[in-house]
Amino acid sequence: MGEPAKASLVLAVRLRGTVGDSPDVEKTLESLALLRTFQARLLKNTPSNAGMLRKAKNLVAWGEVDPATLGALLAKRAEGEQRSMVLDEEFVKNRFGRKTFGDLAESIIAGDISLEDLWRAGLKPKFRLHPPRGGFKRSTRRAFTDGGELGYRGPNINSLALRMI
């Protein structure tokens, strides 16, 4: 038996509100900690997370995040639990032993640093994003596979996330 494959990371971004949706979907979004529109969250690619994302597919876009996007997200949109916390290259060097946010992102995707380590270091698990620069390119009421913005996007989530940072 070989070593199990390292779980990849998924970036989930909430694009729509829950007005008129079922309470089950609202509860699922609470479990995912995506309580407001334009919030993003890093999640492990597990079957339970995938099931919750599929249940909320009419409100959320998600896909596999790459190191460049994750580095930019950490550098510009990461927040500390305390307001006095300064998140800069010095923080990354002291807490994680990495030189830059890009190095930290590569370590996270490679599995050397877990998401729990980030949260224990004092980072909030959510990222507050802007609406995308240039607007949405497709309908926010349709699935990505049907010419919209919602649902599973695969690596295309990176282009959306970079426009929202």
Side-chain angles (χ1 to χ4, degrees):
M1 296 250 203
E3 182 180 325
K6 301 212 184 217
S8 63
L9 291 181
V10 173
L11 179 67
V13 180
R14 182 168 173 175
L15 299 179
R16 298 191 62 178
T18 55
V19 173
D21 280 334
S22 72
D24 289 343
V25 173
E26 289 183 36
K27 190 71 171 169
T28 301
L29 289 169
E30 285 178 28
S31 298
L32 289 170
L34 291 171
L35 301 175
R36 305 175 73 132
T37 55
F38 304 127
Q39 262 187 350
R41 173 110 198 257
L42 285 172
L43 301 166
K44 291 180 183 174
N45 196 4
T46 61
S48 63
N49 285 339
M52 286 192 285
L53 288 169
R54 277 194 303 273
K55 187 169 187 174
K57 69 181 182 229
N58 294 332
L59 306 173
V60 177
W62 74 92
E64 292 81 23
V65 66
D66 65 5
T69 304
L70 182 56
L73 195 63
L74 289 170
K76 294 186 179 180
R77 289 284 162 191
E79 297 177 358
E81 290 291 336
Q82 292 93 22
R83 287 181 181 241
S84 61
M85 199 173 189
V86 177
L87 302 174
D88 56 1
E89 305 285 330
E90 194 66 31
F91 173 82
V92 171
K93 191 186 321 184
N94 292 338
R95 288 289 184 127
F96 302 107
R98 304 299 191 269
K99 293 180 181 177
T100 64
F101 283 103
D103 295 341
L104 177 62
E106 289 176 10
S107 299
I108 293 168
I109 290 183
D112 299 335
I113 296 174
S114 69
L115 291 177
E116 289 79 19
D117 293 338
L118 286 177
W119 314 151
R120 274 189 234 115
L123 295 177
K124 287 185 180 179
K126 302 177 246 190
F127 302 98
R128 295 183 303 150
L129 301 177
H130 290 288
R133 284 180 183 84
F136 289 107
K137 302 300 181 194
R138 307 163 125 210
S139 171
T140 58
R141 296 181 180 197
R142 302 176 83 184
F144 186 73
T145 55
D146 293 337
E149 293 280 352
L150 300 169
Y152 177 71
R153 299 172 64 100
N156 292 327
I157 193 71
N158 295 305
S159 63
L160 176 67
L162 285 173
R163 288 189 298 128
M164 294 179 82
I165 291 178

